[in-house]
Coordinates of all heavy atoms in Angstrom, one line a residue:
V146 N 113.3 -97.1 -50.9 CA 113.9 -98.1 -50.0 C 115.4 -98.0 -49.9 O 116.1 -97.8 -50.9 CB 113.6 -99.6 -50.5 CG1 114.2 -100.6 -49.6 CG2 112.1 -99.8 -50.6
E147 N 115.9 -98.0 -48.6 CA 117.3 -97.8 -48.5 C 118.0 -99.1 -48.8 O 117.7 -100.2 -48.3 CB 117.7 -97.5 -47.0 CG 117.2 -96.1 -46.7 CD 117.7 -95.7 -45.3 OE1 118.4 -96.5 -44.7 OE2 117.3 -94.6 -44.8
V148 N 118.9 -99.1 -49.8 CA 119.6 -100.3 -50.2 C 121.1 -100.1 -49.9 O 121.7 -99.0 -50.2 CB 119.4 -100.5 -51.7 CG1 120.2 -101.7 -52.2 CG2 118.0 -100.6 -52.1
P149 N 121.7 -101.1 -49.3 CA 123.2 -101.0 -49.0 C 123.9 -100.7 -50.3 O 123.5 -101.2 -51.4 CB 123.5 -102.3 -48.4 CG 122.2 -102.9 -47.9 CD 121.2 -102.3 -48.8
A150 N 125.0 -100.0 -50.2 CA 125.7 -99.6 -51.4 C 126.3 -100.8 -52.1 O 126.3 -100.8 -53.4 CB 126.9 -98.7 -51.0
A151 N 126.7 -101.8 -51.4 CA 127.2 -103.0 -52.1 C 126.2 -103.7 -52.9 O 126.4 -104.4 -53.9 CB 127.8 -104.0 -51.0
A152 N 124.9 -103.6 -52.5 CA 123.8 -104.3 -53.1 C 123.2 -103.5 -54.3 O 122.3 -104.0 -55.0 CB 122.7 -104.7 -52.1
A153 N 123.5 -102.3 -54.4 CA 122.9 -101.4 -55.4 C 123.3 -101.9 -56.8 O 124.5 -102.2 -57.0 CB 123.2 -99.9 -55.2
P154 N 122.4 -101.9 -57.8 CA 122.8 -102.3 -59.2 C 123.7 -101.2 -59.8 O 123.7 -100.0 -59.4 CB 121.5 -102.4 -59.9 CG 120.5 -101.5 -59.1 CD 121.0 -101.6 -57.7
A155 N 124.5 -101.6 -60.7 CA 125.4 -100.7 -61.4 C 124.7 -99.6 -62.1 O 125.1 -98.5 -62.1 CB 126.3 -101.5 -62.3
A156 N 123.5 -99.9 -62.8 CA 122.8 -98.9 -63.5 C 121.3 -99.3 -63.6 O 121.0 -100.4 -63.8 CB 123.3 -98.7 -64.9
A157 N 120.4 -98.3 -63.4 CA 119.0 -98.5 -63.4 C 118.5 -98.5 -64.9 O 119.0 -97.7 -65.7 CB 118.2 -97.5 -62.7
P158 N 117.6 -99.4 -65.3 CA 117.1 -99.4 -66.6 C 116.4 -98.1 -67.0 O 115.7 -97.5 -66.2 CB 116.1 -100.6 -66.7 CG 115.7 -100.8 -65.3 CD 116.9 -100.4 -64.4
A159 N 116.7 -97.5 -68.2 CA 116.2 -96.2 -68.6 C 114.9 -96.3 -69.3 O 114.4 -95.3 -69.7 CB 117.2 -95.5 -69.5
T160 N 114.3 -97.5 -69.5 CA 113.1 -97.6 -70.3 C 111.9 -97.9 -69.5 O 110.9 -98.4 -70.1 CB 113.3 -98.7 -71.4 OG1 113.6 -99.9 -70.7 CG2 114.5 -98.3 -72.3
A161 N 112.0 -97.7 -68.2 CA 110.9 -98.2 -67.4 C 109.6 -97.4 -67.7 O 108.5 -98.0 -67.6 CB 111.2 -98.0 -65.9
E162 N 109.6 -96.1 -68.1 CA 108.4 -95.3 -68.3 C 108.0 -95.3 -69.7 O 107.0 -94.8 -70.1 CB 108.6 -93.9 -67.8 CG 108.8 -93.8 -66.3 CD 108.8 -92.3 -65.9 OE1 108.7 -91.5 -66.8 OE2 109.0 -92.1 -64.7
R163 N 108.7 -95.9 -70.6 CA 108.4 -95.9 -72.0 C 107.0 -96.6 -72.4 O 106.2 -96.0 -73.2 CB 109.5 -96.5 -72.9 CG 110.7 -95.6 -73.0 CD 111.8 -96.2 -73.8 NE 113.0 -95.3 -73.8 CZ 114.1 -95.7 -74.4 NH1 114.2 -96.8 -75.1 NH2 115.1 -94.8 -74.4
P164 N 106.7 -97.7 -71.8 CA 105.4 -98.3 -72.1 C 104.3 -97.4 -71.7 O 103.3 -97.2 -72.5 CB 105.4 -99.6 -71.3 CG 106.9 -99.9 -71.1 CD 107.5 -98.6 -71.0
A165 N 104.4 -96.7 -70.6 CA 103.3 -95.8 -70.1 C 103.2 -94.7 -71.1 O 102.1 -94.3 -71.5 CB 103.6 -95.3 -68.7
A166 N 104.3 -94.1 -71.5 CA 104.3 -93.0 -72.4 C 103.7 -93.4 -73.8 O 102.9 -92.7 -74.4 CB 105.7 -92.4 -72.6
G167 N 104.1 -94.6 -74.2 CA 103.5 -95.1 -75.5 C 102.0 -95.3 -75.4 O 101.3 -95.0 -76.3
A168 N 101.6 -95.8 -74.3 CA 100.1 -96.1 -74.1 C 99.4 -94.8 -74.1 O 98.3 -94.6 -74.6 CB 99.9 -96.8 -72.8
G169 N 100.0 -93.7 -73.4 CA 99.4 -92.4 -73.4 C 99.2 -91.8 -74.8 O 98.2 -91.3 -75.1
L170 N 100.3 -92.0 -75.6 CA 100.2 -91.5 -77.0 C 99.1 -92.2 -77.8 O 98.4 -91.6 -78.5 CB 101.6 -91.7 -77.6 CG 101.7 -91.3 -79.1 CD1 101.4 -89.8 -79.3 CD2 103.1 -91.6 -79.7
S171 N 99.0 -93.5 -77.6 CA 98.0 -94.3 -78.3 C 96.6 -93.9 -77.9 O 95.8 -93.8 -78.7 CB 98.2 -95.8 -77.9 OG 97.2 -96.6 -78.6
R172 N 96.4 -93.6 -76.6 CA 95.1 -93.2 -76.1 C 94.8 -91.8 -76.7 O 93.6 -91.5 -77.0 CB 95.0 -93.2 -74.6 CG 95.0 -94.6 -74.0 CD 94.5 -94.6 -72.6 NE 95.5 -93.9 -71.7 CZ 96.5 -94.6 -71.1 NH1 96.7 -95.9 -71.3 NH2 97.4 -93.9 -70.3
R173 N 95.7 -90.9 -76.7 CA 95.5 -89.5 -77.3 C 95.2 -89.6 -78.8 O 94.3 -88.9 -79.2 CB 96.7 -88.6 -77.0 CG 96.9 -88.2 -75.6 CD 97.9 -87.0 -75.5 NE 99.2 -87.4 -75.9 CZ 100.1 -88.0 -75.1 NH1 99.8 -88.2 -73.8 NH2 101.3 -88.3 -75.6
R174 N 95.8 -90.5 -79.5 CA 95.5 -90.7 -80.9 C 94.1 -91.3 -81.1 O 93.4 -90.9 -82.0 CB 96.6 -91.6 -81.5 CG 96.5 -91.6 -83.1 CD 97.7 -92.2 -83.7 NE 98.9 -91.3 -83.5 CZ 100.1 -91.7 -83.7 NH1 100.4 -92.9 -83.9 NH2 101.1 -90.8 -83.5
F175 N 93.8 -92.2 -80.2 CA 92.4 -92.8 -80.2 C 91.4 -91.7 -80.0 O 90.4 -91.6 -80.8 CB 92.3 -93.8 -79.2 CG 90.9 -94.4 -79.1 CD1 90.4 -95.3 -80.0 CD2 90.0 -94.0 -78.0 CE1 89.1 -95.8 -79.9 CE2 88.7 -94.5 -77.9 CZ 88.3 -95.4 -78.9
V176 N 91.6 -90.8 -79.1 CA 90.6 -89.7 -78.9 C 90.6 -88.8 -80.1 O 89.5 -88.4 -80.6 CB 91.0 -88.8 -77.7 CG1 90.2 -87.5 -77.6 CG2 90.9 -89.6 -76.4
A177 N 91.7 -88.5 -80.7 CA 91.7 -87.6 -81.9 C 91.0 -88.3 -83.1 O 90.2 -87.7 -83.8 CB 93.2 -87.3 -82.3
R178 N 91.2 -89.6 -83.2 CA 90.6 -90.3 -84.3 C 89.0 -90.4 -84.1 O 88.3 -90.3 -85.0 CB 91.2 -91.7 -84.5 CG 92.6 -91.7 -85.0 CD 93.2 -93.1 -85.0 NE 94.5 -93.1 -85.7 CZ 95.3 -94.1 -85.8 NH1 94.9 -95.3 -85.2 NH2 96.5 -94.0 -86.4
T179 N 88.7 -90.7 -82.8 CA 87.2 -90.8 -82.6 C 86.5 -89.4 -82.8 O 85.5 -89.4 -83.5 CB 87.0 -91.2 -81.1 OG1 87.7 -92.5 -80.9 CG2 85.5 -91.3 -80.8
V180 N 87.1 -88.4 -82.3 CA 86.5 -87.0 -82.5 C 86.5 -86.6 -83.9 O 85.5 -86.2 -84.5 CB 87.2 -86.0 -81.6 CG1 86.7 -84.6 -81.9 CG2 87.0 -86.3 -80.1
G181 N 87.6 -86.8 -84.6 CA 87.8 -86.4 -86.0 C 86.9 -87.2 -86.9 O 86.3 -86.7 -87.8

Side-chain angles (χ1 to χ4, degrees):
V146 178
E147 292 185 6
V148 180
T160 59
E162 292 187 1
R163 287 182 183 175
L170 176 61
S171 177
R172 288 194 293 269
R173 286 195 296 273
R174 189 167 289 163
F175 174 78
V176 170
R178 288 176 176 175
T179 301
V180 172

